[in-house]
Amino acid sequence: MSSPNIAAMLDKTEELDLIIKEQEVILLKINDLNEKLKTSPQVVENPDDNSLELLKVWYTQAMNLSNCEANICDLLANQLDALLELQQPSPPLPRLPPLPQQQKRMAKARVEQPKRQKQVKSLSNPSSITGSLEGKEVAAKVMPQNFEKEEWIIARVVCFDEESKEFEVVDEEPDNGDAKEVESGEKKYKVPMRSIIPFPSSNDPTSAPEFSPGTYVLAVYPGTTTLYKARVVRGHNKRKKHDYVLEFDDDENEDGTLPKRKVPFHKVVAFIAEVDGQ
């Protein structure tokens, strides 16, 4: 058995720290929106309100981040066991209890769980939100033909397939792909619920998540219908400025600098880093 790479382990601990910080941000957003719905539950009856879609996105993000955290912790624990075996042939030590900070987060999650379950119950059934998503533009993760990996595109939700438990979406400006063609020349894809992210309402800046400078997001690159990873330079002001200022990855000028590009608030959604091997 080869010795674990200490440098790689340290990199994973830094990645774990970022995931935990992102979890805390998302939990704050969920709690804030839950309080808003608690005081004004009638807002969900407004056709332009996307509170339920935002909750669904944030709960999905929280679940994915929690899975990433568990995978990294398990990986680090196994690597530490291997190091201890190399140092001294003794029975493996019992796992240490959670750190105080982690205990607080776990206790907080247990206390808040009943409130979350009440919200998740209405969102766990995809058909319950189909009506609010049909006909709307969303960010959809698809696999076009001749592509090595999936990409995020702007798509319009057509319907929800109860049999396959997938959404049928349309790429209204396709270049190519292995999606099903329809008479209008559009391309249709079937994607699972986890591969759909609703955009904020274009006529309601307050419905958009707040991304602070330095945060990574998925945003529609100007002049295209594809979403790319970008870093927030300036967040959108819900009262005055309705645009984000972003720096897109791999968008360097000839001098190596990244141009700052304006993107409307309703074309920006959260980005979740994927753990290696996931």
Side-chain angles (χ1 to χ4, degrees), residues 86-144:
L86 291 174
Q87 289 179 348
Q88 184 177 349
S90 58
L93 295 175
R95 295 286 175 85
L96 294 176
L99 297 175
Q101 182 179 0
Q102 187 176 4
Q103 286 178 326
K104 291 179 181 179
R105 291 193 296 106
M106 293 170 65
K108 182 178 180 182
R110 286 194 294 270
V111 170
E112 295 177 347
Q113 189 63 28
K115 181 187 293 184
R116 292 185 191 174
Q117 287 178 343
K118 184 176 181 181
Q119 293 291 344
V120 172
K121 185 176 180 181
S122 64
L123 297 174
S124 60
N125 180 8
S127 60
S128 67
I129 64 171
T130 301
S132 63
L133 288 180
E134 284 185 7
K136 289 190 176 182
E137 281 191 340
V138 297
K141 193 175 186 180
V142 301
M143 174 67 85

Side-chain angles (χ1 to χ4, degrees), residues 22-139:
E22 191 169 353
Q23 281 179 306
E24 292 173 347
V25 171
I26 292 177
L27 286 175
L28 286 175
K29 292 179 180 179
I30 291 174
N31 291 336
D32 288 344
L33 187 50
N34 277 336
E35 288 299 322
K36 176 183 175 182
L37 294 178
K38 183 178 179 180
T39 56
S40 303
Q42 68 277 7
V43 298
V44 298
E45 298 176 3
N46 187 340
D48 293 327
D49 182 78
N50 68 337
S51 299
L52 297 183
E53 289 93 332
L54 283 176
L55 275 177
K56 175 251 175 178
V57 171
W58 291 338
Y59 279 128
T60 301
Q61 292 173 352
M63 178 186 66
N64 291 339
L65 288 170
S66 179
N67 291 337
C68 291
E69 179 184 4
N71 289 335
I72 293 177
C73 287
D74 187 62
L75 173 65
L76 290 173
N78 290 334
Q79 291 178 337
L80 287 171
D81 284 342
L83 282 175
L84 291 173
E85 289 178 2
L86 291 174
Q87 289 179 348
Q88 184 177 349
S90 58
L93 295 175
R95 295 286 175 85
L96 294 176
L99 297 175
Q101 182 179 0
Q102 187 176 4
Q103 286 178 326
K104 291 179 181 179
R105 291 193 296 106
M106 293 170 65
K108 182 178 180 182
R110 286 194 294 270
V111 170
E112 295 177 347
Q113 189 63 28
K115 181 187 293 184
R116 292 185 191 174
Q117 287 178 343
K118 184 176 181 181
Q119 293 291 344
V120 172
K121 185 176 180 181
S122 64
L123 297 174
S124 60
N125 180 8
S127 60
S128 67
I129 64 171
T130 301
S132 63
L133 288 180
E134 284 185 7
K136 289 190 176 182
E137 281 191 340
V138 297

